[in-house]
Amino acid sequence: MIVPTMAEMMAQGKQPEILFWVGAAGSYDDRAKKITRAFVKILHAAKVDFAVLGTEETSTGDVAKRAGNEMLFQMQAMMNIEVLNSYEIKTIVTADPHSFNTLKNEYPELGGNYKVYHHTQYISKLIKEGRLTLSSKKLNNKNVTFHDPCYLGRANGEFESPRDIIKKLGTKYTEMKRSKSTALCCGAGGAQMFKDAEKGNKEINVLRTEDAIEVNPEIIATACPYCNTMMTDGVKVKEKEKTIQVLDIAELIANANEL
Amino acid sequence: MQYIPNILFAILLIVGAGFFIKNIKKIIRNIKLGKSIDRTDNKSERWRNMINIALGQSKMVRRPVAGILHIIVYVGFIIINIEVIEIILDGLLGTHRLFAPLGGFYSFLIGSFEILAFLVLVSVTIFWIRRMVVRIPRFWNKEMKGFPKNDALYILYFEMILMSLFLLMNAFDINLQNLESPHYIKAGAFPISQFIAPLFAGIAEGSLIIFERTAWWIHIIGIFIFLNYLYYSKHLHILLAFPNTFYANLELKGKFKNNSTVTEEVKLMLDPDADPYAMPEENPDAEIEKFGASDVADLNWVQLMNAYTCTECGRCTSVCPANLTGKELSPRNIMMKTRDRLEEVGKNIDKNGEFKDDNKQLLNDYITPEELWACTTCNACVEECPINIDPLSIIMDMRQFLVMEQSAAPQELNMMMTNIENNGAPWQYNQMDRLNWKDEE
Ligand code: SF4
Ligand code: SF4
């Protein structure tokens, strides 16, 4: 697929409308790469002039910070800010709520000031501006529920954009008991993604998947690559992978609009 | 001789209030052991938070049953305190029902106090049932053993006794008023105690006076004991909830603070013009900055105030994903342990004049790394706390100490961080492969 990089843009003397921040999971993780590609298809469909940093992108440092390594976080942040500022980036869109949160909230103090959107927010904006129309045929009346990513919902107060999109797709939407500001974490945050859980009597992702199963979804919609992994694993543990799909909102749209 | 009760009362008042003030000073001193943090911005939003969350209890009613009962007890507590003003003045002046000349309004006041006292009695009984009979799980977590469990019950019993005494006192008073006993002027309305009063009809006037006086004295002594018990109890929140909500973090929950010392260092490291061999400026007085927190004095004063304010309600723990899945971590316990350690440090200072090393600290001796590493930083605890306590900030500061001062992260996290250093991603992938996704599928 056509994915211009900032370096290429610069060589042509062009400045894209947005920078798409892909994030480590979106770049390397096989499951998350599908989400990345789905989002690029949407950007193309809406004729958004975008670019990525490509090999110039590196970890935001978010996970290092949550693990307690402030030094490594700030090193990463400052390196990224240098690159971003040299390209005079104004607007960043990312499908990873963790990158979203740190770019938006923690980079400004270090010299990185950008307008940062989570992809669900940006898609909502495209819809509002009439640049993207969602087709409600394919997912019509599908039972869908949505798992709020902590770093999009509670951490940044964004609850509506993902829900609006899901509803616009013609789905039959059901809210989980714990949702929005009281949503339960998938278990990946705070660097847990990269380590085994402490001793306990259950895995957090299984508990969260049970929350979802309670409302009988055909699709569990996610908006974070890490949540997606966690919920997918949870569905497997519960042996429901035949009846329940775990899909990112970008993938829902790409499916519905047959992109 | 006739002034003996007045004098006794004055002594009681001075001792009761004196102890209370002494303890409050101690709390302030202990809170000030924390590092400074500026929370004076945005005054209007801070006032609004205090009024909505502490005074208006807006976050309490997210759990409606407990919330509404709590508001009844709280409103009762405040309003009945107006009556305590009269009681104190009566005690000092040797008067009885000093405010009676207010007439109809006085009757209205006493009538309202009675109804409130009754409602408080009912609410507190329901609280007790929820705790002891229904056994709501958050009241029975591991950390709720021994004093924390009893503390909650003591207060419930206290409230029950105080409210009953108030109503009993009035019931005796009604009988004395009916007997037209001198001193017991006809005043007040007694919507509740009028039903208790008939029980004591026919008792001789002398005995009634003794009963009435006894109830009166136990009631006011009870109030002084309650006041001074606060210091030892989770019930400090009735005072501290106000400053606590005022000084709470106003930033988005996802925004964690950046350490400015680190920023300076990183800037130097990345600055191509910096002389790598330059000696840092010698400043023998400069303390070497310690990253993160291993003891209470490394936390900021708002975090320490949080610890004193915690009501031990366990709402945070009841939504914590780690705790719900049986991990050792409980955000409530993080707050309780911080307070316990702070108290220990405070006693150490009381004894030695200044803090003498006791070979203990918050980390390990109270809060274990196992607890700290179980946190997903999901902010559910922060969101849930009815008085805006932030257990997560303490967890993060302590993690920072573990990683930056002790390199004591779990092995897998060390690998993750090494990967970020080497190839800019938490996994071992080649930086040059970052864009491969565009040609796959
Ligand atoms: S932030 Fe940590 S302590 Fe608080 S609820 Fe989430 S996992 Fe538990
Ligand atoms: S931190 Fe807040 S929610 Fe948790 S026990 Fe204390 S008062 Fe309750």
Side-chain angles (χ1 to χ4, degrees):
Chain A
M1 51 185 18
I2 301 163
V3 182
T5 63
M6 280 309 301
E8 290 159 12
M9 283 270 178
M10 180 120 124
Q12 299 162 22
K14 283 196 273 188
Q15 180 71 17
E17 205 179 330
I18 63 157
L19 172 80
F20 171 30
W21 185 275
V22 185
S27 304
Y28 294 118
D29 180 81
D30 283 334
R31 178 68 189 86
K33 283 193 264 191
K34 292 187 182 150
I35 302 171
T36 306
R37 285 191 291 265
F39 184 56
V40 167
K41 287 177 191 163
I42 296 170
L43 291 175
H44 280 310
K47 304 207 165 45
V48 177
D49 180 21
F50 74 98
V52 299
L53 283 175
T55 53
E56 286 184 283
E57 188 186 294
T58 166
S59 164
T60 56
D62 161 78
V63 62
K65 187 176 177 79
R66 310 297 137 176
N69 195 336
E70 184 72 9
M71 187 65 84
L72 181 54
F73 161 69
Q74 293 203 15
M75 291 281 285
Q76 292 297 120
M78 299 241 198
M79 287 183 330
N80 282 321
I81 289 169
E82 214 176 285
V83 174
L84 291 165
N85 288 356
S86 73
Y87 284 125
E88 294 176 23
I89 302 292
K90 301 269 174 327
T91 309
I92 303 178
V93 181
T94 176
D96 170 10
H98 299 267
S99 299
F100 164 73
N101 176 69
T102 195
L103 288 166
K104 169 168 163 287
N105 297 323
E106 292 160 353
Y107 273 40
E109 265 172 34
L110 304 173
N113 292 287
Y114 321 103
K115 179 100 190 84
V116 187
Y117 291 92
H118 183 248
H119 70 319
T120 58
Q121 295 175 321
Y122 194 69
I123 291 168
S124 284
K125 186 165 130 67
L126 292 175
I127 297 170
K128 270 193 209 102
E129 290 168 356
R131 298 168 72 180
L132 181 72
T133 328
L134 300 186
S135 154
S136 58
K137 256 188 275 152
K138 223 170 147 197
L139 295 178
N140 197 20
N141 271 326
K142 280 249 186 215
N143 289 327
V144 179
T145 190
F146 174 63
H147 163 74
D148 288 275
C150 300
Y151 276 88
L152 182 66
R154 247 188 321 267
N156 284 289
E158 178 60 79
F159 303 111
E160 293 315 321
S161 290
R163 287 177 171 77
D164 281 350
I165 297 171
I166 296 170
K167 286 173 193 162
K168 283 209 175 80
L169 289 167
T171 58
K172 220 174 102 217
Y173 181 72
T174 319
E175 203 70 82
M176 284 185 238
K177 202 169 66 215
R178 295 185 255 225
S179 61
K180 297 189 180 172
S181 67
T182 60
L184 183 73
C185 175
C186 71
Q192 301 298 336
M193 184 74 194
F194 301 95
K195 61 184 261 302
D196 284 328
E198 274 58 34
K199 198 164 72 20
N201 53 30
K202 200 176 208 161
E203 293 293 338
I204 297 173
N205 64 330
V206 174
L207 182 64
R208 186 51 170 165
T209 307
E210 288 169 358
D211 279 3
I213 291 174
E214 245 174 58
V215 298
N216 277 318
E218 289 160 273
I219 298 170
I220 300 172
T222 58
C224 165
Y226 301 103
C227 296
N228 191 295
T229 305
M230 286 306 203
M231 299 306 280
T232 306
D233 288 351
V235 168
K236 272 190 207 129
V237 172
K238 290 279 162 192
E239 297 179 342
K240 292 273 186 201
E241 64 266 48
K242 294 226 168 63
T243 48
I244 301 178
Q245 278 183 295
V246 181
L247 293 171
D248 191 273
I249 289 185
E251 294 176 302
L252 287 183
I253 297 174
N255 287 353
N257 282 20
E258 303 188 329
L259 299 175
Chain B
M1 276 304 273
Q2 61 164 327
Y3 290 115
I4 285 183
N6 310 37
I7 294 167
L8 274 181
F9 185 83
I11 294 173
L12 182 69
L13 181 66
I14 292 167
V15 172
F19 261 114
F20 177 68
I21 292 168
K22 190 171 152 239
N23 282 335
I24 291 290
K25 282 194 176 148
K26 223 180 247 178
I27 290 174
I28 294 173
R29 179 201 67 194
N30 290 355
I31 288 175
K32 282 190 173 159
L33 294 174
K35 295 207 265 191
S36 70
I37 180 171
D38 185 26
R39 289 278 171 84
T40 50
D41 57 326
N42 251 319
K43 286 260 165 52
S44 58
E45 192 181 348
R46 295 188 178 284
W47 281 110
R48 218 175 315 130
N49 274 351
M50 189 173 101
I51 289 166
N52 289 338
I53 299 169
L55 195 66
Q57 311 207 347
S58 53
K59 287 177 90 177
M60 277 303 289
V61 286
R62 287 185 186 176
R63 301 195 184 181
V65 179
I68 289 166
L69 292 173
H70 186 266
I71 288 178
I72 294 175
V73 175
Y74 164 74
V75 170
F77 175 84
I78 292 183
I79 296 188
I80 295 171
N81 272 332
I82 302 176
E83 169 65 358
V84 174
I85 300 175
E86 187 188 35
I87 292 180
I88 288 178
L89 290 174
D90 276 345
L92 285 174
L93 304 173
T95 48
H96 185 70
R97 297 198 181 272
L98 181 67
F99 298 159
L102 293 173
F105 184 59
Y106 185 74
S107 300
F108 169 75
L109 279 182
I110 298 290
S112 326
F113 296 156
E114 286 223 334
I115 292 173
L116 275 172
F118 178 70
L119 288 176
V120 170
L121 205 52
V122 172
S123 305
V124 169
T125 310
I126 299 176
F127 276 151
W128 185 87
I129 293 172
R130 282 162 55 90
R131 223 169 247 275
M132 304 307 287
V133 183
V134 185
R135 288 178 162 249
I136 291 179
R138 68 186 153 105
F139 300 133
W140 290 89
N141 290 82
K142 263 207 304 252
E143 63 264 27
M144 297 311 283
K145 288 201 189 98
F147 180 71
K149 177 185 162 205
N150 293 333
D151 180 22
L153 294 176
Y154 292 156
I155 291 285
L156 294 181
Y157 298 146
F158 238 106
E159 296 260 9
M160 288 181 197
I161 293 170
L162 286 182
M163 293 304 126
S164 308
L165 282 170
F166 177 70
L167 293 172
L168 268 181
M169 204 167 84
N170 283 347
F172 293 128
D173 205 291
I174 295 173
N175 282 301
L176 286 161
Q177 289 187 19
N178 289 342
L179 291 174
E180 294 182 1
S181 176
H183 206 65
Y184 290 92
I185 42 167
K186 275 230 175 282
F190 305 98
I192 305 294
S193 57
Q194 61 176 337
F195 298 107
I196 312 173
L199 296 177
F200 310 118
I203 298 181
E205 185 180 343
S207 316
L208 273 178
I209 293 180
I210 293 175
F211 289 147
E212 193 276 339
R213 284 291 90 189
T214 312
W216 189 94
W217 276 97
I218 300 178
H219 179 246
I220 189 67
I221 291 173
I223 286 178
F224 284 126
I225 294 176
F226 181 86
L227 192 66
N228 280 290
Y229 178 66
L230 281 187
Y231 172 74
Y232 306 95
S233 159
K234 64 170 187 137
H235 285 77
L236 260 183
H237 75 268
I238 58 183
L239 303 171
L240 287 179
F242 293 88
N244 199 77
T245 45
F246 185 87
Y247 289 112
N249 181 25
L250 297 179
E251 304 278 3
L252 285 169
K253 292 193 180 64
K255 179 177 176 178
F256 291 15
K257 65 175 192 290
N258 292 331
N259 185 312
S260 52
T261 317
V262 173
T263 311
E264 293 310 312
E265 279 187 39
V266 173
K267 274 193 179 139
L268 267 180
M269 277 194 275
L270 296 178
D271 182 0
D273 301 328
D275 177 359
Y277 301 107
M279 293 291 285
E281 269 177 60
E282 290 292 334
N283 182 355
D285 298 331
E287 263 188 66
I288 301 167
E289 166 116 29
K290 170 174 165 186
F291 294 120
S294 62
D295 209 348
V296 284
D298 306 324
L299 298 169
N300 66 51
W301 66 270
V302 174
Q303 291 170 316
L304 299 185
M305 178 168 65
N306 278 181
Y308 272 124
T309 314
C310 175
T311 73
E312 297 172 17
C313 68
R315 289 180 182 216
C316 53
T317 296
S318 75
V319 296
C320 171
N323 194 274
L324 285 172
T325 52
K327 316 294 191 295
E328 195 56 39
L329 171 63
S330 156
R332 163 173 57 192
N333 209 7
I334 298 287
M335 301 318 299
M336 291 168 67
K337 288 175 177 180
T338 305
R339 178 172 176 173
D340 288 347
R341 172 61 183 159
L342 184 54
E343 273 297 291
E344 186 176 56
V345 169
K347 285 198 186 112
N348 182 316
I349 296 174
D350 289 340
K351 206 168 118 214
N352 303 312
E354 58 175 353
F355 181 69
K356 266 224 179 91
D357 193 5
D358 58 357
N359 280 320
K360 277 196 193 172
Q361 52 175 6
L362 184 59
L363 181 66
N364 297 325
D365 296 310
Y366 287 84
I367 297 173
T368 61
E370 181 183 342
E371 292 165 68
L372 298 171
W373 290 116
C375 173
T376 72
T377 71
C378 72
N379 260 308
C381 52
V382 184
E383 173 73 33
E384 195 65 23
C385 178
I387 43 180
N388 284 14
I389 286 170
D390 186 351
L392 173 56
S393 69
I394 296 180
I395 295 173
M396 282 313 303
D397 285 352
M398 295 186 74
R399 269 192 188 181
Q400 226 176 61
F401 177 85
L402 281 174
V403 172
M404 295 181 71
E405 295 287 341
Q406 304 204 308
S407 306
Q411 188 45 33
E412 304 126 294
L413 290 189
N414 281 332
M415 269 153 54
M416 175 274 285
M417 292 188 277
T418 310
N419 287 332
I420 293 182
E421 278 168 36
N422 294 342
N423 48 280
W427 299 284
Q428 235 181 359
Y429 289 109
N430 192 326
Q431 173 75 17
M432 286 303 127
D433 295 338
R434 251 205 196 248
L435 201 48
N436 289 3
W437 55 267
K438 82 175 167 121
D439 302 316
E440 292 168 12
E441 188 161 336

